[in-house]
Amino acid sequence: MTPDPILLVDDDEDILAMLAVVLRDWGHAVDRATSGSMALDMCWKRKYALLLMDMRMDTHRDGIETLAALRGGEGPNRRTPVIIMTAYAEARDAVDAMKGGASDYLFKPLDMKVLRHAVDGTLGRPAVTVGQAVGDGGLIGSSEAFLKMKSLALRAARAEATVLITGESGTGKELVARLIVRNSRRAGRPFVAINCAALTETLLESELFGHVAGAFSDAVRRAGRLRAADGGTVFLDEIADTSPKFQAKLLRTLQDGEIQPVGSDTVERVDVRVLAATNRDMERLVAEGRFRDDLYYRLNVVRVVVPPLRERGDDLEALSAHFVAEYARKNGSGVRGLDPGAMEAVRRHSWPGNVRELQNAVERGVILAEGDMVCEEDMGIRFGPSLPPGPEPWRPRAQPPPETGRPTMDDEKRQAAEDAMRRNRGVIAYAARDLKVTRKTLAAWIKKFNLEHLKG
């Protein structure tokens, strides 16, 4: 059976022709439309596997309006996935596209590797997915905070400037660095990543700048990572944890494109782009004299702040689904996803360890799941120390003798459960969190004390 074709929509006929050739080379049948109105007419007449559509067209109907009309209609392509293309790397455009029902968005000029990844990924998705996700080399998300960050990173990719990537541990700063490299003019050239905090000052200097024979005991000549990355990109993770001596040498490289191997009097030239990352407060370190201000200004030409997972609530389902699929495949498991209880637990956890913590929890859940769905207990999420400060755990007060007529322990349990349920609008998960008891315990109290009427 012949697969459904892809519909290309763009008012630039040269781009249409080029994309048609590329997609046909990849084995896809292709139709073309030069306007949104033309695309809608064609969508009434034929079922498509995918629409690849420009966002801003010189016609009366742009890509967002066309997408809205497609999703709001009753034709055969109402649920067909749509990838939006745009030459304007604005976060608002990306947010509008995703809210309008786009499956993904790409920036022009198109990188053919990124395009193929997007097309293959979209066509390879199952008919029913947990949420919609924008995926790029492990970066998954469609929340506004994520899309704003990604938009800025992609704009930075087009330049040659240094980029400082900041964010909490576990947010995916190296993935953002790799996204920048893939979409830069240095894509396909050497990429070298170094964790500065993992090496001593001497080892870091030698590793990055190289050394000559005899520079220290038993030393043989080593070119160094900057030389190995010549023409490409170096990513320096945990840059804030470097010494003043190292910072001075790095500043020279950024200013003049020169390196001086350890033990050498010779200066060598290199052509590298430097990306750096940290989870520290750089402004504070500079103010305290613990990081060179001149190097900070050199690194901070473009600042990309990776948002913590607690600010990306809309991405939790997509990230969870992505990790379930990844670890089910790696472990040969038949696990299909998270059950409602596990997903609720994911939503109410604050994720201080960010995406890395979620990834580890899902991996544990997939490994320990006894059926085809991961339950909350499988994931081992610990809520107590991870949550922002809140009410103290519920504890019974010391009980007076029954004959005094004062409240009993059951009275206190009932009152605590009732108050918590009212505060949290009948949501058991949130009320249990307030009381620092399990949902199972709170549900038992609700049943025992006839509080079912308080459920939301």
Side-chain angles (χ1 to χ4, degrees), residues 167-180:
E168 297 175 10
S169 293
T171 50
K173 295 184 289 294
E174 183 170 343
L175 292 177
V176 174
R178 291 179 181 276
L179 171 71
I180 291 172

Side-chain angles (χ1 to χ4, degrees), residues 196-321:
C196 300
L199 301 172
T200 65
E201 175 186 327
T202 302
L203 284 176
L204 178 60
E205 186 179 357
S206 174
E207 188 73 16
L208 197 63
F209 298 100
H211 58 255
V212 297
F216 46 86
S217 298
D218 300 323
V220 295
R221 177 175 173 78
R222 180 182 176 87
R225 297 290 190 93
L226 284 170
R227 171 60 64 195
D230 195 20
T233 307
V234 170
F235 173 60
L236 302 176
D237 199 6
E238 306 299 349
I239 188 66
D241 295 309
T242 54
S243 68
K245 179 183 177 183
F246 175 84
Q247 292 170 24
K249 292 195 71 168
L250 179 60
L251 178 63
R252 179 175 185 176
T253 300
L254 292 176
Q255 288 177 331
D256 305 322
E258 296 177 346
I259 60 172
Q260 185 172 3
V262 176
S264 173
D265 296 326
T266 303
V267 172
E268 304 174 10
R269 295 197 62 81
V270 292
D271 171 27
V272 294
R273 184 184 188 185
V274 174
L275 310 178
T278 183
N279 60 4
R280 307 278 293 279
D281 183 342
M282 291 293 284
E283 289 77 10
R284 180 178 178 181
L285 294 177
V286 170
E288 293 175 350
R290 296 160 61 192
F291 196 89
R292 292 182 63 118
D293 57 354
D294 46 5
L295 176 58
Y296 168 69
Y297 298 132
R298 280 283 178 178
L299 292 172
N300 196 38
V301 176
V302 179
R303 170 79 71 91
V304 177
V305 180
V306 186
L309 189 54
R310 62 181 173 274
E311 295 178 7
R312 298 175 53 192
D314 292 344
D315 296 335
L316 289 171
E317 291 189 9
L319 283 164
S320 299

Side-chain angles (χ1 to χ4, degrees), residues 433-451:
R433 182 183 69 180
D434 269 7
L435 294 170
K436 298 294 193 296
V437 299
T438 66
R439 287 187 300 154
K440 185 176 180 180
T441 296
L442 181 55
W445 292 359
I446 290 170
K447 183 177 181 181
K448 179 177 181 179
F449 303 125
N450 297 315
L451 299 177

